[in-house]
Amino acid sequence: MPFEDYHQLTFERRDHGVLLITIDRPDKYNAADEGLHGELARVWRDVGADEQTRVAVITGAGKAFSAGGDLAMVERMAGDYDRVQHMLREMSDLVYNIIDCDKPIVSAINGVAVGAGVVVALLADIAIAAEDARLGDGHVKLGVAAGDHAAIIWPLLAGMAKARYYLLTGEMVTGAEAERLGMVAKALPRDQVLDEALRVADTLGTGSQQAIRLTKRSLNNWLRSAGPTFDQSAAYEMLTFLGPDVVEGYTALREKREPRFPSAAD
């Protein structure tokens, strides 16, 4: 099994070639530290290479899908050129490995999805969310530009007006609202989300594999065409990790107060 070296993702093989992947850091609401971020970036290459897998379903252990980047990781990155450079490469791998994986991916968004979590949640080929889940890209509230995945997928799913609103304000969107906007395929009561994701995965796993995979490949050309926009946004995010606002951003989060960004000082 090609998944033995993973420590924060767990794997369960099910019928019809369905591989259930669980983000397994529930004590931290599945927040991504360096280890988990790396695993989320590379797992899609292993899914693509695994002959037993026809479709992957990804969900979170406990109450959250993934609560974004671990704050301690953010603190370690701020002002550290080498860490920032590494994250830029890994961030790109995360996005492009999902897009390039030839097998369909279904996300079962069972709770909050932020940061790296919402990357996986929304770049999945089919996203099914809990109605009360909360999804968001809060980069600007941290004092960094919206990078990760936002520029490549939010305008395509929600339209430019809504993408601008949520990415510039950092506000969250519920699963029910995400369905209304077209950001996820379905929004259901929380206790039905995983069952529905697995049902959809069974349909994909028993369907024509070549037809499904080639359809995914052609649809994802919409995302590939936005690759330069993503590359620029990722570079801008990492650039702002080297500035002073991010320090105030994570300090305010630590102290549970509103940030007072140096760039907005009177």
Side-chain angles (χ1 to χ4, degrees):
M1 184 172 177
F3 306 108
E4 295 172 351
D5 293 335
Y6 289 84
H7 302 289
Q8 299 190 62
L9 298 177
T10 61
F11 303 87
E12 178 188 346
R13 293 199 185 275
R14 301 176 67 95
D15 294 339
H16 312 307
V18 174
L19 180 68
L20 176 60
I21 306 170
T22 302
I23 306 171
D24 193 16
R25 205 179 178 220
D27 57 318
K28 299 290 187 181
Y29 294 97
N30 302 318
D33 61 3
E34 289 91 342
L36 178 54
H37 195 278
E39 291 186 7
L40 286 171
R42 66 185 171 92
V43 68
W44 311 110
R45 290 197 300 264
D46 287 337
V47 167
D50 181 43
E51 295 182 357
Q52 296 182 60
T53 298
R54 299 177 196 167
V55 54
V57 176
I58 184 161
T59 193
K63 297 179 179 180
F65 185 81
S66 176
D70 185 279
L71 192 56
M73 179 182 74
V74 172
E75 291 177 297
R76 287 189 289 269
M77 284 179 57
D80 188 320
Y81 177 80
D82 290 336
R83 287 182 185 272
V84 165
Q85 186 180 49
H86 172 79
M87 183 57 69
L88 179 59
R89 290 194 302 269
E90 197 167 83
M91 181 195 315
S92 298
D93 287 344
L94 174 56
V95 168
Y96 288 122
N97 286 345
I98 294 174
I99 293 171
D100 293 337
C101 179
D102 66 336
K103 296 166 185 176
I105 301 165
V106 180
S107 59
I109 309 166
N110 56 305
V112 65
V114 185
V118 81
V119 176
V120 177
L122 294 183
L123 283 177
D125 302 293
I126 297 175
I128 298 170
E131 292 168 334
D132 62 348
R134 297 174 70 243
L135 296 78
D137 186 298
H139 281 86
V140 294
K141 289 191 172 183
L142 184 62
V144 296
D148 280 354
H149 69 306
I152 199 172
I153 192 68
W154 282 65
L156 186 61
L157 296 180
M160 185 60 77
K162 290 293 187 180
R164 284 170 170 158
Y165 178 81
Y166 284 110
L167 299 177
L168 292 174
T169 65
E171 291 185 13
M172 304 282 278
V173 58
T174 65
E177 179 68 2
E179 181 189 34
R180 191 187 73 79
L181 292 173
M183 298 177 68
V184 300
K186 293 185 178 184
L188 300 168
R190 187 179 293 239
D191 61 358
Q192 298 178 24
V193 168
L194 182 57
D195 287 343
E196 177 64 8
L198 291 170
R199 185 197 67 79
V200 171
D202 283 341
T203 300
L204 296 171
T206 56
S208 168
Q209 296 304 289
Q210 185 179 38
I212 290 169
R213 294 177 191 182
L214 292 178
T215 298
K216 168 177 175 167
R217 182 180 298 178
S218 58
L219 286 171
N220 276 358
N221 280 327
W222 288 99
L223 300 179
R224 294 185 184 93
S225 69
T229 299
F230 162 71
D231 293 339
Q232 183 179 26
S233 72
Y236 283 170
E237 179 187 351
M238 295 300 99
L239 176 64
T240 47
F241 260 99
L242 300 175
D245 277 2
V246 68
V247 177
E248 170 59 16
Y250 70 65
T251 301
L253 281 173
R254 284 279 187 213
E255 297 176 356
K256 298 182 180 179
R257 60 170 174 81
E258 290 297 314
R260 298 182 291 271
F261 293 118
S263 63
D266 293 332

